[in-house]
Amino acid sequence: MPAFLQITDTHIVAPGALACGRSDTAAALTRAIETINAKLPVLGDVSCVIITGDLTDHGTPEEYAHFSALMAPLALPWLAVPGNHDRRAPMRAAFAGADWLTKEGPIQWHRDFGPFSLIGLDTLLEGAHHGDLCDDGFALVDQVLNRIGDQPVIIATHHPWMPSAITTMDADNIRNGAALMARLAAHPGPVRMISGHVHRAMTTQIGRITCQIAPATGHAVDVDLRPGVDNRLTLEPGGVTLYTWLDAPLPCLVSDVIPTGDYPGPYPFQG
């Protein structure tokens, strides 16, 4: 049962600082890593952790160094794509030598898990909040889809294409996402798109494509669906998302949001 974990929107700032003056994102990431490490013995064959962007809050070398130090205890390899709060040059400098890191251009990659493929796409437009997929990204999608036949595929991005109903967040989605979805809809195998950016766990179906947004490790975007309301953060519990491939009773990819932290249990249902 091959599996991987998704972390997103860690928003690490300089040591001792708080994101937005309120959110202790370093403590939140530490809780996430401790949760992953503690649960690994019962989660099956987890291959890696993928991070779907906004590793840091301002994309500075100091923040990436802090992120690296916080990630060091993780008992799994990890790979990442950038989000709108990241910057490619300091990200490359901080993680130089990583086998998933491109030497130039967009930071994106492909991993074959056997029963399924995973493509990480770079949707960063430096200086903008919204996302776009560049020509190299479309080329990578075309190349992989042509090669894998009808193998199921997962597309990982920072910016989603699915709407969240939080209009200020939806304004920052992938602007050319329709072109990406058209390519994915033509793939003969199952397709799923997993993203971050909204800091909430959300799922929808667009045509035959399942789209998911994962919760952040730290603060969430407040759910306020009234028109004209600015984005606000709320200090809800963080989470990481586990994706597990099952061969039986039928082939499928199952996702599960795991709250981070230490909670009582497990206990038998019979008291």
Side-chain angles (χ1 to χ4, degrees):
M1 295 191 299
F4 67 93
L5 284 151
Q6 180 187 7
I7 287 176
T8 197
D9 294 275
T10 52
H11 285 273
I12 296 303
V13 291
L18 301 177
C20 304
R22 294 184 178 274
S23 179
D24 191 344
T25 53
L29 179 55
T30 297
R31 280 194 302 274
I33 292 169
E34 289 174 346
T35 300
I36 291 170
N37 288 346
K39 289 188 173 293
L40 272 179
V42 301
L43 295 183
D45 184 20
V46 181
S47 299
C48 63
V49 171
I50 69 163
I51 305 160
T52 48
D54 284 0
L55 286 65
T56 66
D57 207 37
H58 303 97
T60 67
E62 183 182 22
E63 289 176 341
Y64 285 114
H66 193 197
F67 177 89
S68 292
L70 293 167
M71 291 291 289
L74 180 66
L76 287 169
W78 61 270
L79 56 165
V81 294
N84 54 288
H85 283 259
D86 292 307
R87 294 296 177 266
R88 292 187 189 93
M91 186 171 170
R92 278 197 176 87
F95 310 135
D99 63 359
W100 51 269
L101 194 63
T102 54
K103 293 182 179 179
E104 58 184 18
I107 298 173
Q108 47 198 16
W109 35 261
H110 166 235
R111 291 291 183 272
D112 188 344
F113 284 75
F116 63 91
S117 269
L118 173 63
I119 306 173
L121 295 177
D122 183 339
T123 57
L124 167 62
L125 284 173
E126 294 199 8
H129 288 291
H130 69 271
D132 246 336
L133 189 61
C134 65
D135 290 343
D136 286 348
F138 284 112
L140 177 62
V141 171
D142 291 341
Q143 175 189 13
V144 174
L145 294 186
N146 288 336
R147 190 167 73 236
I148 65 175
D150 62 356
Q151 184 190 45
V153 66
I154 303 163
I155 304 294
T157 62
H158 176 68
H159 298 86
W161 170 246
M162 64 168 280
S164 68
I166 305 172
T167 55
T168 47
M169 296 302 296
D170 292 343
D172 292 338
N173 281 358
I174 303 175
R175 294 286 170 88
N176 57 358
L180 172 62
M181 297 298 281
R183 281 169 161 82
L184 300 180
H187 181 62
V191 181
R192 188 176 304 203
M193 184 172 177
I194 63 174
S195 306
H197 191 61
V198 187
H199 293 228
R200 306 206 64 86
M202 295 183 166
T203 306
T204 193
Q205 190 80 13
I206 299 177
R208 54 182 293 271
I209 301 168
T210 301
C211 297
Q212 291 182 237
I213 299 171
T217 51
H219 56 275
V221 172
D222 187 41
V223 176
D224 190 331
L225 307 185
R226 296 173 295 173
V229 175
D230 290 335
N231 286 338
R232 296 176 295 178
L233 67 83
T234 177
L235 299 177
E236 298 179 12
V240 299
T241 309
L242 173 69
Y243 299 86
T244 304
W245 180 267
L246 303 180
D247 288 316
L250 66 145
C252 62
L253 184 74
V254 178
S255 64
D256 183 13
V257 173
I258 301 174
T260 59
D262 188 15
Y263 301 96
Y267 303 118
F269 283 108
Q270 295 77 24

